[in-house]
Amino acid sequence: MSKIIALANQKGGVGKTTSSINLAASLAVLEFKTLLVDADPQANSTSGIGFDPRTIKNSIYECIINDVDPREAIQKTDTPNLFLLPAHIDLVGAEIEMINLENREYKMQAVLNKVRDDFDFIIIDCSPSLGLITINALSAADSVIIPVQCEYFALEGLGKLLNTIKIVQNRLNTKLEIEGILLTMYDVRLRLSNQVVEEVKNHFESLVFETIIQRNTRLSEAPSFGVSVIMHDANCKGAINYLNLAREIIRNNGLAAKEEINVTTATV
């Protein structure tokens, strides 16, 4: 039985898709069979891992709306142990089409339950909204990671997201937990970055991951090559940060990494 983790934040530009791709790739490289689910109509996880959304025939949309078996949509990536359930632009209309469906909040859960036993981890990249697709992802997930950028408006909208998570916990998915708050886009040279880290840790204490994702050129350019940062440059800070995050999640869930990789540990 796999663990399903959604990455959600209705605020755009917080590193959600970057984190989804690279956390999934890191778990895969540590020899956990991992499925990356692109639940964002922009399909950035799909293109960022090397697939053209325009050529995708079966996606998460067909699985939710047309009951296509997810095994017919899942794609094998160039990263060992990493698989993708892609998205394309049709997902934009899914929320309208789902309005009158019975059990509309559980459509994604029904899809993922069909393949749940095939994977160790399932990572869901949510859209930057609190719409029905994101509610579906939270209803299907065991836990949620909240990426927060180390910038001025870091905490803006976080209260609304936490309130949405609480509503989902109370009404739709009582087992949903907060896996952690992930600080992203950290720049060691900026006083503001350090202030945000301190503020978030003071507010949320043990909910904040020890691992912080640093700004890194290799991390930014990897999606243009259609690969994760680990496949792009395994020794850069970005790759090391996400490997450390994967190890932290593995450790927090009482698992042991199946194989450690010989990379230098970066410190913030």
Side-chain angles (χ1 to χ4, degrees):
M1 182 68 81
S2 62
K3 173 140 194 186
I4 302 178
I5 304 175
L7 280 84
N9 193 329
Q10 80 275 19
K11 193 172 186 298
V14 298
K16 181 177 51 57
T17 295
T18 298
S19 295
S20 298
I21 291 171
N22 292 299
L23 171 58
S26 296
L27 290 166
V29 168
L30 292 170
E31 294 202 340
F32 289 90
K33 192 177 179 184
T34 304
L35 175 65
L36 174 61
V37 179
D38 192 348
D40 184 350
Q42 297 176 79
N44 288 336
S45 279
T46 300
S47 59
I49 209 72
F51 294 87
D52 185 348
R54 295 169 297 182
T55 64
I56 296 292
K57 292 182 180 178
N58 287 323
S59 71
I60 184 71
Y61 170 83
E62 281 76 19
C63 297
I64 290 173
I65 301 300
N66 300 328
D67 291 325
V68 168
D69 190 311
R71 291 180 183 89
E72 295 181 23
I74 290 172
Q75 305 286 328
K76 194 176 190 307
T77 75
D78 291 336
T79 304
N81 299 313
L82 180 61
F83 297 79
L84 172 72
L85 181 50
H88 56 58
I89 193 64
D90 285 357
L91 195 58
V92 169
E95 297 206 0
I96 297 170
E97 294 179 63
M98 290 165 67
I99 285 174
N100 295 319
L101 294 181
E102 192 176 348
N103 296 320
R104 61 188 181 186
E105 297 90 354
Y106 297 105
K107 291 298 179 181
M108 192 180 298
Q109 182 186 85
V111 170
L112 297 183
N113 280 346
K114 293 177 184 177
V115 295
R116 181 164 189 156
D117 291 338
D118 299 341
F119 299 94
D120 297 310
F121 284 96
I122 297 177
I123 305 298
I124 308 174
D125 179 20
C126 298
S127 61
S129 73
L130 295 179
L132 191 52
I133 298 294
T134 298
I135 297 299
N136 261 260
L138 295 176
S139 297
D142 299 307
S143 64
V144 56
I145 291 174
I146 305 169
V148 174
Q149 82 279 34
C150 295
E151 293 178 359
Y152 183 71
F153 293 113
L155 299 179
E156 187 182 75
L158 197 53
K160 188 175 182 182
L161 176 61
L162 292 170
N163 188 51
T164 299
I165 290 170
K166 191 174 289 185
I167 291 169
V168 172
Q169 288 170 324
N170 290 336
R171 300 181 187 175
L172 299 171
N173 183 2
T174 55
K175 295 179 181 178
L176 181 66
E177 298 177 345
I178 296 177
E179 189 78 28
I181 293 171
L182 176 65
L183 291 161
T184 63
M185 305 181 190
Y186 176 83
D187 190 334
V188 68
R189 299 164 300 176
L190 298 180
R191 182 187 299 175
L192 177 60
S193 282
N194 293 298
Q195 288 173 340
V196 170
V197 169
E198 189 176 342
E199 185 177 2
V200 172
K201 286 187 172 181
N202 284 340
H203 267 84
F204 300 103
E205 299 175 343
S206 61
L207 281 180
V208 184
F209 284 111
E210 293 174 16
T211 305
I212 296 175
I213 309 302
Q214 296 167 275
R215 282 193 181 277
N216 179 247
T217 303
R218 292 297 208 190
L219 191 57
S220 301
E221 68 188 21
S224 65
F225 293 93
V227 293
S228 67
V229 70
I230 294 157
M231 299 296 283
H232 186 50
D233 183 353
N235 292 308
C236 72
K237 282 183 179 177
I240 293 163
N241 287 164
Y242 279 108
L243 282 165
N244 286 340
L245 175 65
R247 292 189 183 103
E248 188 175 346
I249 289 169
I250 290 164
R251 189 172 66 245
N252 290 347
N253 284 279
L255 303 170
K258 296 181 183 180
E259 183 177 316
E260 285 294 334
I261 300 171
N262 185 23
V263 291
T264 307
T265 301
T267 55
V268 173

